[in-house]
Amino acid sequence: MASQEIEALTQALAKLPGLGPRSARRAVLHLLKKREVALSPLLAALTAVKEKLATCATCGNVDTTDPCGVCADPRRDQRALCVVEEVADLWALERSRLFPGRFHVLGGRLSALEGVRPENLSIDALIRRIAAGGIDEVVLATNATLEGHSTAHYIAERIERFPVRVTQLAHGLPVGGELDYLDEGTLAQALRARRPVG
Amino acid sequence: MASQEIEALTQALAKLPGLGPRSARRAVLHLLKKREVALSPLLAALTAVKEKLATCATCGNVDTTDPCGVCADPRRDQRALCVVEEVADLWALERSRLFPGRFHVLGGRLSALEGVRPENLSIDALIRRIAAGGIDEVVLATNATLEGHSTAHYIAERIERFPVRVTQLAHGLPVGGELDYLDEGTLAQALRARRPVG
Ligand SMILES: [Zn+2]
Ligand SMILES: [Zn+2]
């Protein structure tokens, strides 16, 4: 019954994770009623993000600059590299503010079931970063899932030949847990107690 | 740690009802990853809605046209008027597709506690619509709350002098229930069994 435009907005919002049709309708009503304090800022923020959105060619992070804010920050420890499956994991670790180094986003995890093979992830790019030198430690911060573990082990084997310390997050992650869902305390503990892959 | 633009987008989304900081972050990540299928349609929909957004001068509905789609529809029964507290309630009734007439949005309910008095609601405009004639029935579809009931009674007294049938939604609404939260079956039942205010 709503106009075509309002219906389109409701559907676009309903597709966001965490919002269903009902909450999308409530969100739309909120936006319509709070034009100046809700709709305008959201529209401006979306426009700005869309215009500037970039994938970091170095690490795979999504940001409004390339290189991303993390890669461009000269205060970050250039010698420590943390390998994560997804951008969401990078953000989760950044929120904990505990990792001083930089990141490498794989873009997923190896999965026989889903047909994800090494060449579908940015593993070659990771090898090139490590081969270029200057990195002392690689933290394999894949999820504590079966696929996360085998991805970490595959990468550990591939980088065995380089003079870098390869570590992984300590157990402390709940089994089956995905980084992005963990509280910062658990993440902090897991990162502090990281240990060599072996 | 995210850029200023991404942070602004996260905050704008986190203010929507139903989304907190965590789900807003997940929504932002989804938008960043699905630029073409998620971010672009949402941006286009928001832009279209913002450009066209209008409050219907007749009924108070929010739509992209004034008069709104309901008021402009010649197939609607011009003799039946349904009075609701909020635009959300109008939308909830429209979703049930059971009321063939038109609407009048009060913009709230009388509340001594919140200092909402008759002049703060569009009650005078309602009286003018009824005084203009052509209306046979006024359905007072305020919420089944104490304040909703007293608002309905106040309006019923004000329009007593007009030759219209004044009805209210049947009990069937759970006590304390707000229209916008009810399933369509309950709404349908309550509307079908509506009875004269007495
Ligand atoms: Zn980067
Ligand atoms: Zn209208």
Side-chain angles (χ1 to χ4, degrees):
Chain A
M1 59 87 222
S3 76
Q4 196 185 318
E5 292 89 353
I6 292 175
E7 196 48 47
L9 177 57
T10 309
Q11 285 179 14
L13 282 171
K15 280 183 197 141
L16 295 182
L19 278 174
R22 166 165 296 221
S23 44
R25 280 197 306 264
R26 297 193 70 81
V28 166
L29 267 164
H30 177 80
L31 290 169
L32 300 187
K33 285 168 81 176
K34 309 276 176 181
R35 225 167 293 193
E36 294 316 314
V37 300
L39 197 155
S40 295
L42 178 58
L43 180 55
L46 266 178
T47 305
V49 164
K50 190 181 181 226
E51 274 168 10
K52 297 195 179 178
L53 198 56
T55 299
C56 179
T58 306
C59 76
N61 190 11
V62 178
D63 204 340
T64 49
T65 52
D66 176 16
C68 73
V70 176
C71 287
D73 186 348
R75 292 161 305 177
R76 308 292 295 217
D77 184 352
Q78 312 283 313
R79 291 164 310 173
L81 194 64
C82 183
V83 178
V84 293
E85 294 181 17
E86 301 282 3
V87 172
D89 303 327
L90 187 164
W91 288 20
L93 281 161
E94 273 299 272
R95 283 197 298 278
S96 78
R97 294 166 195 268
L98 282 157
F99 186 69
R102 299 198 293 172
F103 292 91
H104 191 87
V105 179
L106 294 172
R109 81 265 345 131
L110 296 177
S111 168
L113 211 67
E114 296 168 27
V116 180
R117 300 160 54 84
E119 57 268 33
N120 303 126
L121 305 178
S122 70
I123 292 177
D124 286 344
L126 171 64
I127 307 289
R128 282 195 300 273
R129 286 183 79 179
I130 296 168
I135 293 170
D136 293 341
E137 179 181 1
V138 175
V139 183
L140 299 175
T142 49
N143 287 323
T145 58
L146 213 62
E147 292 176 340
H149 283 308
S150 49
T151 305
H153 278 284
Y154 174 84
I155 292 173
E157 276 181 22
R158 291 273 308 264
I159 62 183
E160 223 172 19
R161 60 192 168 103
F162 296 105
V164 294
R165 193 164 155 248
V166 183
T167 58
Q168 63 190 17
L169 297 183
H171 276 102
L173 308 190
V175 172
E178 303 199 326
L179 290 195
D180 190 36
Y181 284 96
L182 296 180
D183 61 293
E184 294 179 10
T186 309
L187 269 177
Q189 199 180 28
L191 192 64
R192 249 185 260 111
R194 65 188 185 265
R195 57 183 177 74
V197 172
Chain B
M1 64 89 221
S3 77
Q4 195 185 321
E5 292 89 352
I6 293 176
E7 195 47 46
L9 177 57
T10 309
Q11 285 178 14
L13 281 170
K15 280 183 196 142
L16 295 181
L19 278 174
R22 166 164 296 221
S23 44
R25 280 197 306 264
R26 297 192 71 80
V28 167
L29 266 165
H30 178 80
L31 290 169
L32 300 188
K33 284 168 82 175
K34 308 276 177 181
R35 226 168 293 195
E36 293 316 314
V37 301
L39 198 156
S40 295
L42 178 57
L43 180 55
L46 266 178
T47 305
V49 164
K50 190 181 180 227
E51 273 168 10
K52 297 195 178 176
L53 199 56
T55 298
C56 178
T58 306
C59 76
N61 189 11
V62 178
D63 204 340
T64 49
T65 53
D66 175 16
C68 73
V70 176
C71 287
D73 184 348
R75 291 162 306 179
R76 308 291 297 216
D77 183 353
Q78 312 283 313
R79 289 163 311 171
L81 194 63
C82 182
V83 178
V84 292
E85 295 180 17
E86 302 283 1
V87 173
D89 303 327
L90 188 164
W91 287 21
L93 281 161
E94 273 300 271
R95 283 197 299 278
S96 78
R97 291 165 197 269
L98 282 157
F99 186 69
R102 298 198 294 172
F103 292 92
H104 190 87
V105 179
L106 294 172
R109 82 263 346 128
L110 296 178
S111 168
L113 211 66
E114 296 168 27
V116 181
R117 300 159 54 83
E119 57 267 34
N120 303 126
L121 304 178
S122 70
I123 292 177
D124 286 345
L126 171 65
I127 307 289
R128 283 194 297 275
R129 286 182 80 178
I130 296 167
I135 292 170
D136 293 342
E137 180 181 1
V138 175
V139 183
L140 299 175
T142 48
N143 287 324
T145 58
L146 212 62
E147 293 176 339
H149 282 308
S150 49
T151 305
H153 278 285
Y154 174 85
I155 293 173
E157 276 182 21
R158 291 272 311 261
I159 61 183
E160 224 172 20
R161 61 192 167 105
F162 296 105
V164 295
R165 196 167 153 246
V166 182
T167 57
Q168 62 190 19
L169 297 183
H171 276 101
L173 308 191
V175 171
E178 303 198 327
L179 290 194
D180 190 34
Y181 284 96
L182 297 179
D183 62 292
E184 293 179 12
T186 308
L187 270 176
Q189 199 180 29
L191 191 65
R192 249 185 261 113
R194 65 187 185 267
R195 58 183 178 73
V197 173

